[in-house]
Amino acid sequence: MLTLGFSGLDRGTALKRAILGDGWRREQRIVQGLDSAAALVDETGVIAAAAQERYDGDKGTGRFPHDAIDACLRAAGATMRDVEVVAHGFRYEPSPVWRLDHLATRWYEEVYAQRVQRETFRAHYPPAVAEPRFVHVRHHVAHAASSYYLSGFDEALVVVADGMGEQESLTVFEGRGASLDQCGSYPIMSSLGILYSVFTHYLGFQPGMDEYKVMGLAPYGDRQRYRGPLDEFVRLDPDGRFAVPLLSANKSPMERETHQGVLRRLEEKLGPAREPDAELAQHHMDVAAALQDALERTLLHVLTEYRRRTGLRRLCLAGGVALNCSANGVILRSGLFDEVFVQPAAGDDGTALGAALAALREARPAAPAGMDMPYWGDDLATADGAAALRDLGPGFAVARHAEEDLVRETVALIEGGATVALCQGRMEFGPRALGNRSILADPRSPTMRAHLNTVVKQREEFRPFAPAVPVEDAATYFDIPPGTAAAFRHMLMVTGVREPYRDRLPAVTHVDGSARVQVVQRESAPLFWGLLREMGRRTGLPVLVNTSFNLRGQPIVRTPAEAVATFARSTLDALVLGDHLVRRTGTGAGAGADAGHDAGSAA
């Protein structure tokens, strides 16, 4: 049963712009239905999945994902005529809430209504082309299905937390066998996702985009300095209940669109908001730390109660809040659950996958199957990498290598201080580069983190980088309890770097001694695993910096042409594209040469 899922609310951004005008640019992303994507599944599993941003270059876009849908169909060798069911990851129903004010009515009539979603789909795939059955899946059900049905668990507690679904912000499900049943729900006015987004705005970052920056900033701060105000903003009640009274500070429909009421309340309690690009002071770090602490305490409060009620010992997480790797690590280390699974596309892109899985499992009930790596996007093997390389101008040397030589030459460059882009196989689904569209570097260098942040990625200096390590070696260098390595496959858990290696791995050790680790299995990513093992053979430390292959403001690269163009305009030293190794030529060893001199002394 070929089932297509898609996410996003195509007309949402346009309506938001019409409501706010051009003077509210940072508020444009305070909108439902971004991160549009498509996924194609059948009884055998996930065939393909991709985000629309990788095709149109608009990071986090909510546009109808026609390019991503077409790519999924191509991967399956199918057309829309072969698809039996199309599932959308929202199910808005008529309700009195949409008549509360003129803006609520506009949102429902112009964006949310099921009629609008069907019209949008048929504008791109008219009945003359195909007429699959169209179903609407509740947003949090789609999130839950995306995690539970790929977890491999025969039963699990499933928790979805994000900004909002249709009328809820956190929903709890019991997964048992093929069934997924709701057992708890929290309203939008208790939204942890909206809370985090508003603080992101207060701290001068882009709401709906930069929440991960706040997470990265938090370890620099004092969690206790603003504990008092956060306890007022987030109230924990008995029996796993909680409320976010802060959100009631929005008093008008327009304040609901901009959160200006909440921002005024934050300024009253915490002082003036930070302007974008202003210097980050200790005050901002302490606010971020208090927010992160409140998020973690609230999640544990809910999880403890539902663990008690259900007796379930495994946990699945999804929703935008589940991309908070620090909170995920706290949950894993709490001991509440024996196993924790986070679906790697936990944000709204993942609801394309979940909508498809929910529709499939309703028609064809089956117990969850485990997933490996989300290499579900466009395949480099079907593209002409050599043709893309011919577009390189002077100043580059291109060589083709057998895999063993490619591994040896690449690691030699990294050991010497080079930054190397790696573009292989099928593109990852979700926000993390997991070895197929990555930038790799030497984690031993004390200057590499600053070099990658300021020169290569052109981003804030405080932001950390993730280490990748073979699964066989992971527990040696990182605090990974026995039996939990699988939770670290998708770079969605923060844990500690073991004390003896913090000074030896400065480029991936955060200020609090933590790291967002990715463990790599040979069967899943043989070339990437081979690079890590070769790094270990040469240096004694089988660890590499792994960050996404993109530059500031750009989605992760998709095609060979994008990889080559991005490499050419960057300061990266080398590119591994398929079996080709491309190096910059000319004076010096490249942009990372200085970092290499430091690496030797750090080993």
Side-chain angles (χ1 to χ4, degrees), residues 584-602:
R584 295 185 188 274
T585 58
T587 59
D594 291 339
H597 297 301
D598 296 318
S601 61

Side-chain angles (χ1 to χ4, degrees), residues 216-270:
L217 187 65
Y220 291 91
D222 177 358
R223 291 185 168 217
Q224 297 304 312
R225 181 179 175 187
Y226 294 111
R227 173 70 180 264
L230 264 296
D231 283 346
E232 292 181 32
F233 298 156
V234 184
R235 187 184 71 239
L236 303 186
D237 296 325
D239 303 320
R241 292 177 290 115
F242 71 94
V244 185
L246 174 68
L247 299 183
S248 64
N250 289 328
K251 301 298 186 184
S252 69
M254 186 57 77
E255 286 188 346
R256 190 178 64 236
E257 298 291 336
T258 64
H259 293 310
Q260 290 302 300
V262 176
L263 289 168
R264 281 196 302 273
R265 182 66 173 151
L266 289 180
E267 290 191 323
E268 290 169 5
K269 301 295 285 188
L270 302 174

Side-chain angles (χ1 to χ4, degrees), residues 367-380:
M371 66 166 286
D372 187 7
M373 300 301 289
Y375 299 142
W376 297 325
D378 285 1
D379 193 346
L380 195 73

